[in-house]
Amino acid sequence: QVQLEESGGGSIQPGGSMKLSCKISPSTTSGTCLAWFRQAPGKEREVVSIIYTGTGYTNYLDSVMGRFAISHDYASNRMYLQMNHLKPEDTGIYYCAADRIGACLDLGSPADFARWGQGTQVTVSS
């Protein structure tokens, strides 16, 4: 059973950068679909980005395209989300997810993923 644990959240001013990490246990030895989601107060959880570890294929939410970068490292068994030029609307709890049902092509929805981390808070405010 895959276990996920996020780290790296915190508070930051607009325009700043932050890198989130997701520890994946046990390690992924073959291609799998991983994702970062976020949930702002009073809003539904939304997918931010997905990655297929077998090919490196990625996809992003339009509002983070060009600012965020998802990556995965087999050696450290971690997935990352590099977030640049952060905006107040990026504030929320960020979750990593795994074990997607179906193909890893479109962004999908929370219901498509079976495993979740506990989340890490990201607050962008001046």
Side-chain angles (χ1 to χ4, degrees):
Q1 179 171 332
V2 175
Q3 293 184 332
L4 309 172
E5 183 176 1
E6 304 92 341
S7 60
S11 297
I12 194 166
Q13 292 187 340
S17 296
M18 182 180 290
K19 188 172 186 177
L20 304 181
S21 175
C22 176
K23 176 68 175 176
I24 304 164
S25 303
S27 60
T28 54
T29 58
S30 60
T32 189
C33 191
L34 305 172
W36 284 101
F37 284 77
R38 68 185 179 191
Q39 187 164 17
K43 294 188 177 181
E44 294 186 353
R45 192 172 298 189
E46 64 178 356
V47 60
V48 174
S49 183
I50 63 169
I51 184 168
Y52 182 67
T53 63
T55 61
Y57 169 81
T58 60
N59 200 348
Y60 295 91
L61 184 67
D62 284 347
S63 62
V64 307
M65 185 79 71
R67 298 190 297 122
F68 289 12
I70 191 171
S71 60
H72 173 261
D73 179 54
Y74 277 108
S76 62
N77 303 321
R78 290 182 179 272
M79 176 176 64
Y80 300 95
L81 186 68
Q82 176 67 47
M83 304 184 294
N84 301 321
H85 305 293
L86 281 161
K87 303 176 181 180
E89 51 264 42
D90 294 319
T91 293
I93 301 174
Y94 283 68
Y95 300 89
C96 57
D99 289 358
R100 178 171 182 168
I101 301 169
C104 193
L105 292 174
D106 58 20
L107 292 175
S109 68
D112 294 331
F113 290 84
R115 304 296 177 193
W116 294 84
Q118 81 289 348
T120 185
Q121 177 70 46
V122 173
T123 302
V124 185
S125 174
S126 56

